[in-house]
Amino acid sequence: MSIRFRASSAVLLMGLTPAVLAAETSEKPCETDLCRSVRQSWTTVRQDASDATRWTKKESVKGWDATKDGTIKVAHWTGRESEKGWKATKAGTKDAAHDTAVWTRKAAHDVSQWGTDKTPGAVKTEQNQ
């Protein structure tokens, strides 16, 4: 015949009740080197994750601000250059129109002179006779 102890009997034999044993184990964290190492690692991972999240958010905000600022600067530059280009085109068109008008007046004047004695063909013909 063998003697068997139940778990509750063993606890009673040790002088501790199950409630006291449960309270002690749940309140005290594991203090082995392995448990401490795991807790420290987990704390480090949590802290690193928080730091990484904060850094990512900060860099994203910086990146967005830089993109926004860059876009605004590009838009302003494009507007200024477009205005310069338009003014240059307008001025060039005016100059071209003016030059064309001057040339046309000169050419018209020259053509009107060909019918008179001063036309180059008439002068040469008279000299040849």
Side-chain angles (χ1 to χ4, degrees):
M1 179 175 191
S2 64
I3 301 173
R4 294 185 189 182
F5 291 103
R6 292 187 180 254
S8 59
S9 301
V11 170
L12 288 175
L13 288 174
M14 291 177 15
L16 300 172
T17 64
V20 173
L21 183 64
E24 285 183 13
T25 57
S26 65
E27 288 178 15
K28 278 188 168 181
C30 174
E31 290 302 325
T32 65
D33 290 340
L34 177 63
C35 289
R36 265 184 259 132
S37 175
V38 167
R39 271 197 311 272
Q40 287 171 350
S41 295
W42 177 243
T43 302
T44 302
V45 167
R46 260 195 349 226
Q47 185 61 42
D48 289 348
S50 295
D51 290 348
T53 302
R54 272 189 237 106
W55 180 86
T56 303
K57 182 179 175 187
K58 190 169 80 176
E59 292 304 310
S60 297
V61 168
K62 274 192 211 173
W64 173 246
D65 288 346
T67 302
K68 211 166 51 172
D69 291 347
T71 304
I72 289 169
K73 287 176 183 170
V74 166
H76 286 180
W77 179 86
T78 303
R80 280 194 313 268
E81 292 304 309
S82 296
E83 191 175 342
K84 281 183 197 173
W86 173 245
K87 284 180 179 176
T89 302
K90 207 163 60 169
T93 305
K94 264 189 207 175
D95 291 347
H98 181 263
D99 291 348
T100 302
V102 168
W103 179 84
T104 303
R105 275 196 302 268
K106 185 175 181 241
H109 181 267
D110 290 348
V111 167
S112 70
Q113 295 300 316
W114 291 348
T116 65
D117 295 344
K118 297 177 186 175
T119 59
V123 173
K124 286 183 184 177
T125 308
E126 289 175 7
Q127 288 176 355
N128 292 342
Q129 291 178 1

